[in-house]
Amino acid sequence: MAAHPTSSATPPPGAAAWHDAKRYAWLLSGAFPGLAWLNLWQAERTGQVAWLWALPGVMYTLIPLLDWLLGEDRSNPPEAQVPALERDRWYLAVLLLFVPLQFGLTLHGAWLAVHGGLGALGLAGLVLTVGGINGVAINTAHELGHKHAAWERWLSRLVLAPVAYGHFFVEHKRGHHRRVATPEDPASARLGESFWAFLPRTVVGGLRSAWHLERQRLAGRGLGPWHWRNECLQAWAMTVLLYAGLVAWLGWAVLPFLLVQAAYGAQLLEVVNYIEHYGLLRQRGADGRYERCAPEHSWNSNHRMSNLFLYHLQRHSDHHAHPARRYQALRHFEQAPQLPSGYAGLLLVAYVPPLWYWLMDARVMAHYGGDLARANVQPGARERLAREWRPSIG
């Protein structure tokens, strides 16, 4: 293992050596599926299905509460320390820890779905636990998929297999990052757009975009879209092989569980997408091109606990400005618009459009000084929003 990052860069004379105070706390991210897996063992051992509802309780209640109690962490690593921090293999080991625990949980959950003798309440909790972790796993795949090493990118696709969302690997890097915070991006929510309107738009739009991107890439090599080099097909094949193996082991009865947990996990990704860029817009220059993506084009959150469970995903502004930067080195920017809570505290709010609009629309308009023309607005909501904001604009 590489040396601790502070050993690789010399601080200025008289300056104290810097240490990552969150170095071991990052284990909360890597061990998250293992903690959830313990609940499955407890449910099986005791026969108490309440254990299967522990993870939803943690996600939707405990983590938001701890975010509120512990507050924010806006500290950044010294830039001189960043190269050594990114080389430190400890952080990669924490990232990789997630993968075997995720698959162990998924396999055990599939077995329980068929042979656990669970009633409707137990099966619902099992879906929320397994699908919840496989939804969070998309964030692990996101971190791996942005890296230069080919083995990390392949592992990213493997992590996406249980949730059947392998095309995310293609669309996120080559579609979303290019079009982020524009009306053309299916993964950037618009001001006045409800999550329930956004969900079908982003699911269908992301799938179409991923296929189009791969068809273009392969055509440039003189290959058709159904060639085995199609990265969408490669990723989906991993899901087919995983599901086929589980069906061969447990029978067709396991398939509905796999599909429902995958749907729940995928919508967890999409509700986070909904939160990350809601209403934000990159402006066009005189040449008609969109300005370069900057920190102000992503909603940021520095809430401690949810960031520790999500590999700093909530420092999303720095991620879009520097996609290859590893999670432990992501920074807070003062000019980035700030969310009122971590993602965990906003998930349920996003499901209730009036509550979401009440919480977030004023923040979007404050970010743009009341100028509706500068925001990414849902076309059907423009007149309503203009009426609502005319007093503040005038």
Side-chain angles (χ1 to χ4, degrees):
M1 182 174 290
H4 191 280
T6 56
S7 65
S8 300
T10 304
W18 179 84
H19 299 272
D20 181 8
K22 296 180 283 192
R23 180 177 176 84
Y24 298 104
W26 289 118
L27 283 169
L28 287 172
S29 291
F32 196 18
L35 298 174
W37 196 2
L38 289 175
N39 295 329
L40 268 63
W41 288 108
Q42 283 292 94
E44 186 176 10
R45 184 182 68 83
T46 65
Q48 300 294 320
V49 298
W51 284 102
L52 300 175
W53 286 86
L55 180 72
V58 168
M59 284 177 56
Y60 294 115
T61 304
L62 181 59
I63 293 177
L65 177 61
L66 290 173
D67 271 340
W68 178 70
L69 291 172
L70 297 177
E72 296 182 81
D73 172 21
R74 297 194 173 203
S75 62
N76 291 331
E79 208 55 34
Q81 299 286 355
V82 168
L85 185 62
E86 292 210 330
R87 289 195 301 269
D88 192 328
R89 306 295 283 182
W90 163 257
Y91 298 95
L92 179 59
V94 169
L95 183 68
L96 298 179
L97 173 63
F98 191 102
V99 181
L101 295 176
Q102 173 205 359
F103 276 86
L105 168 75
T106 301
L107 296 178
H108 191 181
W111 187 90
L112 280 178
V114 176
H115 297 297
L118 303 175
L121 188 64
L123 282 171
L126 186 66
V127 164
L128 294 178
T129 297
V130 176
I133 289 298
N134 283 328
V136 174
I138 301 177
N139 180 46
T140 302
H142 168 262
E143 178 70 18
L144 290 164
H146 274 290
K147 302 306 173 279
H148 298 301
W151 70 268
E152 289 185 81
R153 297 197 304 273
W154 269 101
L155 190 58
S156 172
R157 280 174 275 187
L158 181 65
V159 170
L160 292 167
V163 80
Y165 227 60
H167 61 281
F168 172 81
F169 174 84
V170 174
E171 161 58 15
H172 179 79
K173 289 195 305 178
R174 289 156 46 201
H176 173 60
H177 269 261
R178 180 171 57 86
R179 296 183 300 242
V180 63
T182 70
E184 292 79 23
D185 180 29
S188 292
R190 302 161 181 165
L191 182 66
E193 180 180 28
S194 74
F195 170 67
W196 304 109
F198 171 78
L199 183 60
R201 181 172 73 84
T202 190
V203 170
V204 174
L207 182 61
R208 286 176 174 169
S209 176
W211 186 259
H212 176 72
L213 289 166
E214 273 302 273
R215 184 170 59 187
Q216 278 189 324
R217 184 182 69 87
L218 291 170
R221 300 185 178 188
L223 302 173
W226 295 98
H227 195 274
W228 66 269
R229 291 185 182 275
N230 185 318
E231 292 182 343
C232 292
L233 295 178
Q234 291 172 357
W236 293 335
M238 293 181 186
T239 296
V240 170
L241 289 173
L242 174 63
Y243 283 20
L246 288 171
V247 167
W249 174 35
L250 298 169
W252 287 102
V254 76
L255 191 57
F257 166 76
L258 294 174
L259 295 175
V260 174
Q261 67 83 30
Y264 172 68
Q267 71 79 33
L268 274 180
L269 162 72
E270 299 301 357
V271 73
V272 168
N273 274 340
Y274 178 75
I275 293 167
E276 286 172 338
H277 304 283
Y278 177 75
L280 302 180
L281 180 66
R282 286 154 57 200
Q283 306 303 313
R284 290 185 186 269
D287 59 358
R289 296 181 180 180
Y290 287 110
E291 63 183 317
R292 184 175 180 179
C293 186
E296 54 265 32
H297 299 126
S298 303
W299 288 99
N300 226 50
S301 171
N302 287 294
H303 290 81
R304 294 174 189 270
M305 190 54 60
S306 46
N307 262 327
L308 288 173
F309 274 99
L310 292 173
Y311 294 116
H312 252 165
L313 177 66
Q314 298 174 152
R315 289 194 167 181
H316 207 61
S317 298
D318 196 13
H319 166 69
H320 269 278
H322 303 91
R325 183 177 278 241
R326 293 189 179 270
Y327 71 91
Q328 65 269 24
L330 291 173
R331 298 158 295 179
H332 162 72
F333 289 101
E334 288 296 332
Q335 68 266 41
Q338 299 298 311
L339 291 168
S341 169
Y343 290 170
L346 295 173
L347 296 176
L348 295 180
V349 176
Y351 296 149
V352 185
L355 187 57
W356 175 260
Y357 298 152
W358 172 81
L359 183 67
M360 290 299 300
D361 283 12
R363 286 177 166 83
V364 176
M365 298 306 293
H367 179 60
Y368 288 121
D371 186 354
L372 189 64
R374 296 177 60 199
N376 185 8
V377 180
Q378 178 78 340
R382 187 173 294 276
E383 289 187 10
R384 172 181 63 82
L385 288 166
R387 288 195 303 271
E388 292 175 359
W389 288 99
R390 188 173 293 116
S392 62
I393 293 173

